[in-house]
Amino acid sequence: MKFFRENPQLWMTALVGLCIILSFLFIAWRFARIANNAQEELVNVRAGTILDTFVVLVPDILENQELLRERMTAIYTDNPTVDSLTIFAQHGDDAWRVYTSVSGPREGTVLEDMLYVFNFALTDPDNAFTFESTHSGERRFTTARAITNEAGVPVAIVVAEQGMAKADEQITYSIQTSVYILLALLVIISILFFRHARIVDFAVLYKKQLEVDKMKDSFISMASHELKSPLSVIRGYIEFLKDGDVAEEKKFEYLRRIDVSAEELRLLVDDILDVSRIDMGRIRFGPEYVTVFHLLTDVHGMFSNKAEEKELQFTINAPEEVHDVKIRVDKSRFKQSLVNLVSNAIKYTNEGTVTLGMKVKDEVVEIVVEDSGIGLTAEEQKKLFTKFYRAQAEESEGVSGTGLGLWITKYITEHMNGSISVESVKGKGSRFILRFPLFIEEQNDEDDTTQ
Ligand code: ADP
């Protein structure tokens, strides 16, 4: 389904395939109906014509039963759809009895249920009448016509019985053949359809591959730059320190800067290592019960200097009652997620506030990192958690980064039973929310609880 959603052109192919099949079904059905009607008409017309010719010849030979039977047998043999041919005549009583018959009822038989057929034939002696009926699933046609004497008075009635079994068999056979052709067509269409789908699949993959290649290229140039700049800072301050002619308080400041750059390097190398660990499925989690508030204060402490340097108001917003709240996560991985989010919030905020908050709602702990920074468009938010993605904005030009932090954060959060979401307005700020199930004390083992 997702594949269909991502490749709307496939709907078109499916629709065309369906239209072809439906058209074929419709045409097959129409042909079967036309063939059926034509067959019926032909059978009736033929029966009518036979009887019309027959009745003209018969009055003279009506008395000659042998010759009559001969003629009737000839008609019967020449017409495979005719099952029986019977002549009815009235004798002393008024009843119409079988006078002579080929393959029909015995002579002298009275057929009460034929009376209405006789009535039609007698009312209009110049025409043949056909009636349709079904016997044990087979359609049958009964055609009757009156035989008149010279004065035009009906003296006998000839009745031809025709079964449609053979014709129906033929039609069923044709329909069956059409169904087989339809099935073959279906198979061909399915093959074409899946081939088409695979081509689209390859095209999509190729497009994705190109995107990944492009992102990888920019990642490599970015990563080398990212690695180089803290290294040159470290080397620069080491050169200063090597001079020896540095005041004590300056020394301390230089060492602090070296420490900050070394930490930056460590984080970067860790991110790169995490990417390969995630790609190879080698990342391991050691879950434990962690007091969220303690980690928030930790991370707050880590970034307060940086926030101060940028003159940002950086606060924790967590009511007293949630200070003891615990969740079950891998502590260092959870901290890593918080570090990523807070470091981004500070990085992408030029003025205003960054807030690290938490609350508990319906047994879910929400950790919110909110900033009044550059924000993100809806389009950017959709791609935000993909590998190497970095939003291109004027406001963040010159801000260094690899586009890996959020991708890693999402991966580790989801692998610790959590979720991450973002709400953002371009130019106003962003809110990143981590959600984890609340740990409820009495259900769990005290020994397992740390921090
Ligand atoms: P990095 O920050 O190293 O580029 P991330 O994966 O952490 O990589 O973030 C991806 C992108 O998401 C960033 O490049 C930036 O464009 C955007 N982004 C992340 N956090 C924020 C934020 N708080 N405000 C605005 N944009 C952000």
Side-chain angles (χ1 to χ4, degrees):
M1 264 305 135
K2 186 167 169 250
F3 185 62
F4 268 93
R5 235 179 290 128
E6 283 169 3
N7 299 288
Q9 65 271 45
L10 287 183
W11 287 113
M12 207 46 178
T13 315
L15 194 71
V16 171
L18 193 71
C19 283
I20 293 174
I21 293 165
L22 287 180
S23 326
F24 190 85
L25 269 177
F26 178 69
I27 290 169
W29 173 74
R30 288 277 305 165
F31 270 125
R33 263 190 55 170
I34 291 169
N36 209 359
N37 290 344
Q39 183 86 3
E40 277 176 17
E41 227 158 87
L42 195 73
V43 165
N44 293 329
V45 168
R46 234 169 70 192
T49 318
I50 296 164
L51 296 192
D52 288 348
T53 335
F54 181 72
V55 295
V56 177
L57 303 169
V58 163
D60 302 338
I61 57 164
L62 206 54
E63 300 304 325
N64 185 347
Q65 238 179 352
E66 208 172 300
L67 189 57
L68 189 63
R69 276 190 68 81
E70 209 175 283
R71 291 268 162 83
M72 286 166 76
T73 311
I75 293 173
Y76 173 80
T77 336
D78 285 350
N79 297 279
T81 55
V82 173
D83 286 343
S84 71
L85 208 56
T86 309
I87 291 180
F88 292 86
Q90 271 175 319
H91 285 277
D93 55 0
D94 271 351
W96 287 91
R97 291 173 185 279
V98 175
Y99 175 62
T100 182
S101 173
V102 177
S103 210
R106 266 192 303 117
E107 269 175 37
T109 317
V110 177
L111 297 178
E112 293 290 346
D113 54 351
M114 290 291 279
L115 274 181
Y116 77 100
V117 178
F118 296 160
N119 277 342
F120 271 96
L122 294 171
T123 324
D124 184 0
D126 292 334
N127 283 309
F129 292 89
T130 300
F131 304 88
E132 188 183 344
S133 58
T134 310
H135 292 289
S136 339
E138 187 200 356
R139 289 180 312 136
R140 303 189 64 79
F141 291 107
T142 307
T143 310
R145 188 173 166 168
I147 301 171
T148 49
N149 61 16
E150 274 168 16
V153 178
V155 288
I157 299 166
V158 58
V159 174
E161 288 278 355
Q162 299 186 95
M164 291 298 284
K166 276 194 193 124
D168 282 348
E169 214 173 84
Q170 192 58 38
I171 288 169
T172 313
Y173 174 75
S174 307
I175 290 174
Q176 246 170 25
T177 316
S178 305
V179 168
Y180 292 143
I181 294 175
L182 176 69
L183 287 179
L185 212 73
L186 257 173
V187 171
I188 294 170
I189 289 172
S190 310
I191 293 170
L192 283 178
F193 180 73
F194 283 111
R195 274 185 70 91
H196 179 78
R198 282 195 62 188
I199 291 170
V200 174
D201 205 5
F202 287 142
V204 171
L205 264 179
Y206 180 67
K207 221 171 100 192
K208 267 195 188 149
Q209 190 58 44
L210 281 184
E211 257 172 41
V212 171
D213 281 354
K214 218 172 112 195
M215 288 201 285
K216 258 188 186 158
D217 285 349
S218 67
F219 166 75
I220 289 169
S221 65
M222 182 88 60
S224 33
H225 170 79
E226 295 275 298
L227 288 167
K228 250 190 205 160
S229 52
L231 261 181
S232 14
V233 172
I234 292 170
R235 290 190 62 184
Y237 285 115
I238 288 176
E239 286 304 316
F240 280 146
L241 289 170
K242 275 208 294 204
D243 269 358
D245 196 16
V246 185
E248 257 331 284
E249 69 275 17
K250 281 241 166 171
K251 257 189 202 166
F252 190 73
E253 176 57 19
Y254 290 171
L255 282 172
R256 194 188 66 79
R257 292 193 183 182
I258 288 173
D259 192 35
V260 169
S261 295
E263 177 62 9
E264 265 176 35
L265 265 183
R266 187 189 66 81
L267 287 175
L268 186 64
V269 172
D270 272 357
D271 273 2
I272 295 170
L273 287 177
D274 273 350
V275 173
S276 72
R277 277 191 205 116
I278 290 174
D279 281 344
M280 296 167 101
R282 282 225 201 109
I283 211 158
R284 295 278 168 265
F285 297 93
E288 55 185 308
Y289 296 105
V290 170
T291 308
V292 179
F293 184 68
H294 290 166
L295 281 177
L296 294 195
T297 46
D298 255 18
V299 175
H300 183 265
M302 276 172 71
F303 283 93
S304 51
N305 270 346
K306 219 171 203 171
E308 217 170 284
E309 274 168 24
K310 286 187 84 175
E311 294 177 9
L312 299 175
Q313 212 186 323
F314 182 31
T315 50
I316 293 190
N317 177 13
E320 185 89 42
E321 64 267 22
V322 298
H323 285 192
D324 291 330
V325 159
K326 290 186 179 69
I327 55 175
R328 188 169 162 80
V329 286
D330 178 308
K331 194 168 140 197
S332 66
R333 290 292 178 191
F334 175 59
K335 187 168 171 183
Q336 182 186 357
S337 303
L338 290 179
V339 167
N340 274 338
L341 296 182
V342 173
S343 121
N344 277 348
I346 294 174
K347 240 170 37 177
Y348 299 105
T349 303
N350 297 323
E351 58 183 22
T353 58
V354 171
T355 315
L356 190 48
M358 70 173 285
K359 62 178 175 190
V360 178
K361 209 170 120 190
D362 302 330
E363 300 193 357
V364 171
V365 182
E366 282 188 5
I367 300 111
V368 184
V369 181
E370 190 166 3
D371 64 59
S372 60
I374 61 173
L376 295 149
T377 63
E379 206 50 44
E380 288 166 342
Q381 287 174 45
K382 274 189 217 158
K383 302 183 194 156
L384 206 55
F385 298 100
T386 47
K387 205 184 199 174
F388 303 129
Y389 177 76
R390 303 201 72 217
Q392 303 301 320
E394 236 174 69
E395 304 88 321
S396 60
E397 247 172 48
V399 177
S400 59
T402 55
L404 290 173
L406 286 181
W407 179 71
I408 296 172
T409 303
K410 183 176 162 69
Y411 180 89
I412 57 183
T413 303
E414 288 176 353
H415 281 73
M416 296 189 303
N417 280 333
S419 68
I420 181 167
S421 60
V422 62
E423 295 162 7
S424 183
V425 178
K426 185 80 185 162
K428 297 268 182 229
S430 313
R431 264 164 72 85
F432 284 84
I433 307 156
L434 296 176
R435 291 187 178 84
F436 289 95
L438 169 71
F439 161 60
I440 300 164
E441 200 89 37
E442 51 279 7
Q443 293 174 357
N444 293 277
D445 189 348
E446 283 291 311
D447 295 342
D448 206 7
T449 311
T450 62
Q451 273 261 356

